[in-house]
Amino acid sequence: MERADGLAAISEEPARLTRRFATAALKLATNTVAGWMRAAGMQVRHDNVGNLVGRYEGAHGATKTLLLGSHLDSVRDAGKYDGPLGVLVALACVERLNARELRLPFAIEVFAFADEEGLRYHTAYLGSNVVAGSFDPTYLSLVDADGIALADAIRAFGGDPAALTQDARRPDDVLGYCEVHIEQGPVLEALDLPVGIVTAIAGQSRLEVTWQGQAGHAGTVPMHLRRDALCAAAEFMLSVEQLAEERAGLVATVGQIAAEPGASNVIPGRVTLSLDVRHQDDALREQALEALHDQAFKIATRRHVVVQWQTVQESRSVLCSPWLIEQLERAIEHVGYAVHHLPSGAGHDAVVMAGLTDVAMLFVRCKAGVSHHPAESVMLEDVAAAIAVLESFLASFASDGPTL
Ligand code: GLV
Ligand code: MN
Ligand code: MN
């Protein structure tokens, strides 16, 4: 918990926690965790995209590696636990193994991914995509709000954008990936359980929708002659909310909006907004996107503005692996808690790691279900429970896991 507090103080902004990809704050957080990893007997390396990897060797003759971890980047004005908790719980387990001078029949690598939230480039999972071998090289020319290209940000962080493919893990070398994460929802709290096992992770689409109207004088252009891009965007935003309310299981969010030129006495000429659409069922997510696309173009036609619809990123829903779920069930029973399964509405590095290997996730109870917010909170006892469960998971894995 002290480590989580320490990491939360490492921010780009003085009064709140914001840690974007490839920033000085991320570098400091990464180096801080690297120090803890070394002290826990791990060999530490940084890959080209800026992921930190701590490796704890297995017993003599071990050939395969189990991957653990989560991310160190954050959203804007974030909480302390979304991401760091998964890194720190994995680190605590390795620390205990090291203290007991125990080697398992496989190596462990703890990943602290450099970008899961996508705050800087609006694309999630830059870190895990490199490890899973699914990094899309066209991302390298994306630019951030300051006009800095992703390739340049990677260079400034110490990596070589041309060498990203070398950091992909080979599926044959890894046993699986297990991520501990704060639940970010209210389910475990309502059930009075410290931990739960994730069954599946919802699919997600991230889009950018741009509205081009006509800027003009707020005092002279009559209402019926306006082509107000912000009013068109506003109408669309309310239709997003309405559609999501009408369709079971669908969540849709406009979280970012920019109006140009941006003055109180100027009619907005251009608006860019983000759109985030999620559903456990990929077909229903795709149907919702079609309906929203039609809606946007209808609004644009009626209001004589031009709309541009751009998909930034899409991830399909992911099923956690049944055999890893079983290992987690046994671990939870061993530690003495009731086993509960739940789906994840939030995206996680496990989504991308599922393209490389079998994945599992352990959720930790979250106060009032609040996350992506500074009030995010977990209890000391629940973190202790998560460490005990992950430790037991590693032990059972070592004794009766797959043939290694
Ligand atoms: C990550 O936190 C996401 O679900 O957007
Ligand atoms: Mn998050
Ligand atoms: Mn997260």
Side-chain angles (χ1 to χ4, degrees):
M1 298 300 270
E2 274 169 23
R3 286 173 174 172
D5 289 345
L7 289 177
I10 304 174
S11 172
E12 292 177 60
E13 300 181 287
R16 57 185 193 171
L17 171 54
T18 302
R19 213 163 44 224
R20 294 174 305 157
F21 171 66
T23 54
L26 186 74
K27 178 67 91 187
L28 184 54
T30 300
N31 288 342
T32 304
V33 175
W36 295 330
M37 284 176 165
R38 280 192 201 94
M42 307 174 91
Q43 289 150 13
V44 166
R45 64 175 196 276
H46 302 263
D47 71 9
N48 282 291
V49 79
N51 296 321
L52 166 69
V53 194
R55 182 175 171 88
Y56 185 73
E57 288 299 341
H60 184 69
T63 54
K64 299 221 177 189
T65 304
L66 180 67
L67 312 182
L68 305 174
S70 194
H71 58 100
L72 287 183
D73 69 313
S74 80
V75 291
R76 198 183 304 288
D77 200 11
K80 292 177 192 172
Y81 304 102
D82 173 0
L85 181 67
V87 177
L88 296 177
V89 167
L91 171 62
C93 286
V94 172
E95 226 159 30
R96 289 179 182 195
L97 290 173
N98 189 49
R100 289 158 60 202
E101 295 181 9
L102 209 63
R103 298 281 165 183
L104 302 180
F106 49 86
I108 293 174
E109 288 190 6
V110 177
F111 278 78
F113 292 112
D115 172 86
E116 185 263 8
E117 303 286 6
L119 178 60
R120 185 163 178 186
Y121 287 98
H122 197 29
T123 53
Y125 313 129
L126 292 175
S128 43
N129 266 308
V130 166
V131 177
S134 47
F135 184 88
D136 177 350
T138 64
Y139 286 166
L140 290 171
S141 50
L142 291 172
V143 288
D144 71 1
D146 300 315
I148 300 171
L150 176 57
D152 292 330
I154 288 173
R155 272 185 214 103
F157 206 62
D160 175 2
L164 294 178
T165 48
Q166 293 166 18
D167 293 322
R169 295 301 305 250
R170 290 188 17 203
D172 295 349
D173 294 341
V174 298
L175 288 167
Y177 171 73
C178 183
E179 178 169 357
V180 175
H181 203 283
I182 182 170
E183 181 201 334
Q184 308 182 276
V187 174
L188 294 173
E189 187 176 69
L191 294 166
D192 195 21
L193 289 175
V195 292
I197 302 172
V198 177
T199 49
I201 307 170
Q204 178 187 8
S205 300
R206 288 187 177 208
L207 298 99
E208 187 175 274
V209 187
T210 307
W211 305 80
Q212 183 69 55
Q214 177 67 57
H217 198 294
T220 61
V221 183
M223 296 309 286
H224 72 284
L225 293 179
R226 293 186 180 197
R227 293 166 54 216
D228 184 325
L230 187 53
C231 286
E235 187 178 337
F236 174 68
M237 283 161 65
L238 291 177
S239 75
V240 169
E241 182 189 43
Q242 192 184 345
L243 185 110
E245 280 171 358
E246 286 166 3
R247 300 194 178 192
L250 184 74
V251 284
T253 309
V254 175
Q256 232 178 347
I257 184 161
E260 292 168 60
S264 66
N265 58 352
V266 182
I267 299 162
R270 185 181 169 85
V271 166
T272 308
L273 56 82
S274 66
L275 177 62
D276 178 311
V277 179
R278 309 189 194 200
H279 201 289
Q280 302 283 337
D281 182 326
D282 291 325
L284 295 181
R285 174 174 47 87
E286 280 156 15
Q287 280 170 23
L289 280 169
E290 264 175 46
L292 290 172
H293 176 271
D294 289 354
Q295 191 65 20
F297 280 80
K298 269 190 203 135
I299 293 168
T301 305
R302 182 161 34 77
R303 289 179 168 272
H304 305 292
V305 300
V306 176
V307 67
Q308 267 182 310
W309 184 267
Q310 197 199 339
T311 303
V312 178
Q313 195 170 40
E314 254 176 335
S315 29
R316 298 186 66 75
S317 61
V318 158
L319 288 177
C320 291
S321 141
W323 73 271
L324 287 175
I325 288 178
E326 235 172 77
Q327 301 268 0
L328 278 175
E329 285 167 355
R330 263 190 274 169
I332 291 175
E333 278 163 6
H334 181 253
V335 176
Y337 298 108
V339 169
H340 182 75
H341 299 94
L342 70 172
S344 172
H348 298 288
D349 292 302
V351 168
V352 170
M353 294 301 276
L356 172 78
T357 186
D358 292 343
V359 301
M361 286 195 75
L362 182 74
F363 270 176
V364 179
R365 167 165 43 188
C366 161
K367 188 174 175 193
V370 173
S371 185
H372 282 185
H373 188 278
E376 191 174 84
S377 176
V378 292
M379 288 192 287
L380 178 71
E381 310 85 84
D382 292 355
V383 175
I387 294 171
V389 168
L390 190 62
E391 223 184 349
S392 168
F393 170 82
L394 293 175
S396 75
F397 214 89
S399 60
D400 53 30
T403 313
L404 302 166

